[in-house]
Amino acid sequence: MPATPEVPDGKRPTLAHVAARAGVSVALVSIVMRGAYGASAATRERVLKAAEEIGYRPDTRARVLRSNRSRLLGVQFGLRHPFHTDLVEGIYAAAEPAGYQVALSAVAPTRGERQAVEALLADRCEALVLLGPEAPAARLAHLATQVPVVSVARRLRPAPPAVDVVRTADDEGARQAVDHLVALGHRAIAHIDGGRAPGAADRRRGYRTAMHRHGLDEHIRVLPGGLTEDDGARAARTLLAEKPRPSAVLAFNDRCATGVLDTFLRAGVAVPGEISVVGFDDTSLSRLAHIDLTTVAQDVPRLAELAVGRAIARLDGEAVPDGEQVVAPRLVVRGTTAAPGTD
Amino acid sequence: MPATPEVPDGKRPTLAHVAARAGVSVALVSIVMRGAYGASAATRERVLKAAEEIGYRPDTRARVLRSNRSRLLGVQFGLRHPFHTDLVEGIYAAAEPAGYQVALSAVAPTRGERQAVEALLADRCEALVLLGPEAPAARLAHLATQVPVVSVARRLRPAPPAVDVVRTADDEGARQAVDHLVALGHRAIAHIDGGRAPGAADRRRGYRTAMHRHGLDEHIRVLPGGLTEDDGARAARTLLAEKPRPSAVLAFNDRCATGVLDTFLRAGVAVPGEISVVGFDDTSLSRLAHIDLTTVAQDVPRLAELAVGRAIARLDGEAVPDGEQVVAPRLVVRGTTAAPGTD
DNA sequence: ACTAGAAGACCCGCGGGCGTG
DNA sequence: GCACGCCCGCGGGTCTTCTAG
């Protein structure tokens, strides 16, 4: 029996198996598998053939162990947030061309942010990209002492040193929405907010400031909301019960806006005829033909690209200036907004 | 200068650093970190303190390399499918108590199933749990020669050897929906199908069979649909244009049903007054108060538990009988179904 | 004398077998 | 019998060395 059997039973083939089969050294197989310089074309072909035949597959875990780099980006996200899943798609698209792998760690009912991050770190991720993290700023700062940390869509005030923030100019987005509505002729514009959700404070502030600038202070109206459809529906029911109803509503996000829309439709309140509705995020939800929601788009590919780029820059030891990267939002006008009283 | 400096600059602390700091051997630290037997309480405390101080964190990749088991379950899922993300939550809940970690690999526009699976395998996952895989059965069979494979929600005919299938009795679910509608007095019940999506064929067949059993052959009507809201909306528009409209619609899934609902609402067609709508999956979408969709529930926790259980059983070398694990669906009656003509 | 191609030693961080006091 | 240390190997990358041309 040979020292290294060609077909290792139920076990995973290794470099040694390939080497034995191809009749070369292990080191040479390593060179070939990495596509590195130092093997002749003929050998290369023999080795690749042998690897193919026994179904060899490089073991990333062993590889990482040796080379001190893992080239792994850890991403924490919420399974239930469409905005997060959209971002994850963008992160894959940005990371892989840069030569980085992505490790996903979801936040779920049975799995908090702490666990999600611990898993990523134990897995040797070189940097952490956290989508809408709700952990205390101090915790993020502590993490950042161990590994580069990028907070996406969650502003941190005061900014802890070394924690990068990539976010949309939420206040500016709210302003664009208000400007649009005012230009259409609206005056009584209400805002259904996101409570303590990441970004909510800025959107609220942006709304208030914009209303003030238009001299509409007396129409400022912030209703408690949240980030789910139910939150939006609840706030919408409050509005329905009112005598002079606002003629337009800016919701915290698209999910919230969807809840508002649906509640109005069911109550026979025409949108945008009787009331205009604006969302936030431009998730796939709002783009659907039958929702057709006017919304403030976050530039997801750009956010993903910046987040990945920032993490990589830190890893490459570039002198990255502290400070946020703020991406401009863009209002997308669709079918849920119109001049008031357009019935 | 000591052989192993206590604070390894920017590097990750290892067992050796902890050992040096605590003044014990590396092996002993290993024992303590694993909570294994063989260390005195005093030593244990000293070691843990040292580890804490320098921020030591076990390296799963090295650990995996050493112990031939990785205790890692690879999960492939679609970021855009709420049903998948719900399942992922269930898989976390089922796997972690059983002592298995979960590795997520998403299918995205820039990342096909092939890439997703390759990443999982390179990462040394011991088994693969594929949610609604669309790869050819032959490919799945090939994978199964290397590692246990569980296909969730995708039936395989003929069943390849060694590929486990965990799925809902889709035909039975469609039957329950039809029975419910017939009991309410409906006769003209249409089905918006899912094309070639996993499960679509069975739901279509279940619908046809049920209609036939009720003597409603002449009312059988299958419209081409799909798994997104837009697909549902498109089919709904087709129905709107018809003269004698069906009085009820069974949609392929909840997303599709949502599209149908919205289109009807916008057209002023009352649901369930003029037309009843039934979805499939019971995703969080349908449970929302303002959608309140009657739907066929898939037992997500059970599916997740079976999928994980099956994978683990294979890994434990249990003699698992080939064959599918079929989970019963359960109709959840909510607000979108009623007797016909209840206006 | 110089180079491409190939081989061997050793290391990464950790866990287990076996030994020692 | 308990607490602990030494040594080796998991799979693969890197550095050094050796050989043939």
Side-chain angles (χ1 to χ4, degrees):
Chain A
M1 190 196 286
T4 49
E6 291 207 344
V7 181
D9 192 31
K11 297 201 55 178
R12 185 188 179 98
T14 74
L15 284 184
H17 300 124
V18 179
R21 185 172 185 97
V24 298
S25 76
V26 171
L28 199 43
V29 179
S30 169
I31 287 173
V32 172
M33 297 313 299
R34 281 175 290 144
Y37 174 85
S40 67
T43 313
R44 205 170 282 276
E45 192 173 343
R46 275 221 326 286
V47 169
L48 288 176
K49 184 160 171 293
E52 168 70 28
E53 284 168 2
I54 64 177
Y56 170 77
R57 193 186 305 279
D59 184 326
T60 56
R61 306 184 89 89
R63 186 183 296 221
V64 159
L65 187 57
R66 171 63 210 194
S67 59
N68 277 331
R69 298 290 311 266
S70 69
R71 303 195 74 85
L72 242 191
L73 253 36
V75 176
Q76 178 202 76
F77 71 109
L79 279 168
R80 303 243 172 135
H81 298 319
F83 177 59
H84 287 193
T85 51
D86 284 359
L87 268 171
V88 170
E89 291 190 349
I91 289 173
Y92 270 120
E96 305 203 323
Y100 281 80
Q101 298 289 109
V102 172
L104 256 32
S105 192
V107 173
T110 61
R111 199 165 186 272
E113 289 193 11
R114 185 139 212 141
Q115 271 180 79
V117 164
E118 289 299 324
L120 254 17
L121 254 22
D123 216 28
R124 230 187 160 104
C125 289
E126 294 188 301
L128 258 25
V129 176
L130 311 179
L131 308 191
E134 300 192 347
R139 160 115 176 111
L140 299 183
H142 176 66
L143 281 175
T145 64
Q146 307 176 41
V147 73
V149 172
V150 182
S151 166
V152 180
R154 156 95 183 277
R155 187 175 197 171
L156 299 168
R157 307 204 55 134
V163 175
D164 285 312
V165 171
V166 174
R167 65 177 182 90
T168 291
D170 288 300
D171 49 354
E172 162 70 9
R175 186 190 66 71
Q176 289 183 18
V178 170
D179 285 359
H180 166 64
L181 292 168
V182 169
L184 286 173
H186 293 273
R187 295 174 57 79
I189 303 169
H191 176 47
I192 300 174
D193 83 349
R196 292 166 304 129
D202 279 345
R203 294 181 194 176
R204 205 159 37 222
R205 192 165 43 71
Y207 159 78
R208 283 210 174 92
T209 307
M211 291 294 280
H212 174 71
R213 283 217 197 99
H214 287 289
L216 299 173
D217 295 79
E218 60 180 325
H219 290 295
I220 289 180
R221 174 83 193 283
V222 176
L223 290 92
L227 28 70
T228 70
E229 289 86 348
D230 273 339
D231 292 319
R234 197 173 318 113
R237 281 193 295 273
T238 302
L239 289 179
L240 282 177
E242 297 183 358
K243 333 188 52 171
R245 231 176 260 151
S247 67
V249 176
L250 167 61
F252 171 65
N253 67 7
D254 290 344
R255 290 184 66 186
C256 182
T258 305
V260 172
L261 272 184
D262 200 277
T263 302
F264 286 168
L265 285 171
R266 281 177 193 257
V269 175
V271 174
E274 296 179 54
I275 191 163
S276 288
V277 176
V278 181
F280 212 113
D281 288 350
D282 193 32
T283 51
S284 33
L285 200 62
S286 60
R287 275 170 248 156
L288 296 169
H290 69 283
I291 301 254
D292 198 33
L293 177 70
T294 293
T295 188
V296 178
Q298 298 205 52
D299 189 343
V300 169
R302 181 89 184 117
L303 288 168
E305 190 185 323
L306 283 175
V308 169
R310 200 68 173 216
I312 294 178
R314 292 268 186 191
L315 292 175
D316 290 348
E318 292 177 20
V320 179
D322 275 14
E324 308 176 315
Q325 307 250 274
V326 182
V327 175
R330 184 178 47 87
L331 183 76
V332 178
V333 178
R334 296 203 181 90
T336 55
T337 48
T342 313
D343 211 344
Chain B
M1 189 196 283
T4 49
E6 291 207 344
V7 180
D9 192 30
K11 296 202 53 176
R12 185 188 179 100
T14 74
L15 285 183
H17 302 124
V18 179
R21 186 173 183 96
V24 298
S25 74
V26 171
L28 198 47
V29 179
S30 169
I31 287 173
V32 172
M33 296 314 298
R34 280 176 289 146
Y37 174 85
S40 67
T43 312
R44 201 170 286 275
E45 193 171 343
R46 272 219 330 285
V47 170
L48 288 176
K49 183 160 171 293
E52 169 70 27
E53 284 168 2
I54 66 177
Y56 170 77
R57 193 186 302 281
D59 185 326
T60 56
R61 305 185 92 88
R63 195 189 295 242
V64 158
L65 186 58
R66 169 64 212 198
S67 60
N68 277 332
R69 297 289 311 266
S70 70
R71 303 193 76 84
L72 241 194
L73 253 35
V75 177
Q76 179 204 78
F77 72 108
L79 278 168
R80 302 244 173 135
H81 297 319
F83 177 59
H84 286 193
T85 51
D86 284 359
L87 268 172
V88 170
E89 291 190 348
I91 288 173
Y92 270 121
E96 304 203 322
Y100 281 81
Q101 297 290 108
V102 172
L104 257 31
S105 192
V107 173
T110 61
R111 198 167 186 270
E113 289 194 9
R114 185 140 213 142
Q115 271 181 80
V117 164
E118 288 300 324
L120 256 15
L121 254 22
D123 216 29
R124 231 189 160 98
C125 289
E126 294 189 303
L128 258 26
V129 176
L130 311 178
L131 308 190
E134 299 191 347
R139 160 114 176 109
L140 299 182
H142 176 65
L143 280 176
T145 63
Q146 307 176 41
V147 74
V149 172
V150 182
S151 166
V152 180
R154 156 97 183 276
R155 187 176 195 170
L156 299 168
R157 308 205 55 134
V163 175
D164 286 312
V165 172
V166 174
R167 65 176 182 91
T168 291
D170 289 299
D171 49 355
E172 163 69 9
R175 185 190 67 70
Q176 288 183 18
V178 171
D179 285 358
H180 166 62
L181 292 168
V182 170
L184 286 173
H186 293 274
R187 294 173 59 78
I189 304 168
H191 175 46
I192 300 175
D193 82 348
R196 291 165 306 129
D202 279 345
R203 293 181 195 177
R204 205 157 39 222
R205 192 165 44 70
Y207 159 78
R208 283 211 174 90
T209 307
M211 291 295 278
H212 175 70
R213 283 218 196 98
H214 287 290
L216 299 174
D217 294 79
E218 59 180 325
H219 290 295
I220 290 179
R221 175 83 194 284
V222 176
L223 289 93
L227 28 72
T228 71
E229 289 86 347
D230 274 339
D231 293 319
R234 197 174 318 114
R237 282 193 293 273
T238 302
L239 288 179
L240 282 177
E242 295 184 0
K243 333 190 47 169
R245 229 176 262 150
S247 67
V249 176
L250 168 60
F252 171 66
N253 67 7
D254 290 343
R255 289 184 67 185
C256 182
T258 306
V260 172
L261 272 185
D262 200 275
T263 303
F264 286 167
L265 285 172
R266 281 178 194 259
V269 175
V271 175
E274 296 179 55
I275 191 162
S276 288
V277 176
V278 181
F280 213 112
D281 288 350
D282 192 33
T283 51
S284 31
L285 200 63
S286 60
R287 273 170 249 155
L288 294 169
H290 70 284
I291 301 255
D292 197 33
L293 178 69
T294 293
T295 188
V296 178
Q298 298 205 52
D299 189 342
V300 168
R302 181 90 183 119
L303 288 168
E305 189 185 324
L306 283 174
V308 169
R310 199 69 174 216
I312 294 179
R314 293 267 185 192
L315 291 175
D316 290 347
E318 291 177 21
V320 179
D322 276 13
E324 308 174 315
Q325 309 248 275
V326 182
V327 175
R330 185 177 48 87
L331 183 76
V332 178
V333 179
R334 296 203 181 90
T336 55
T337 49
T342 312
D343 210 344

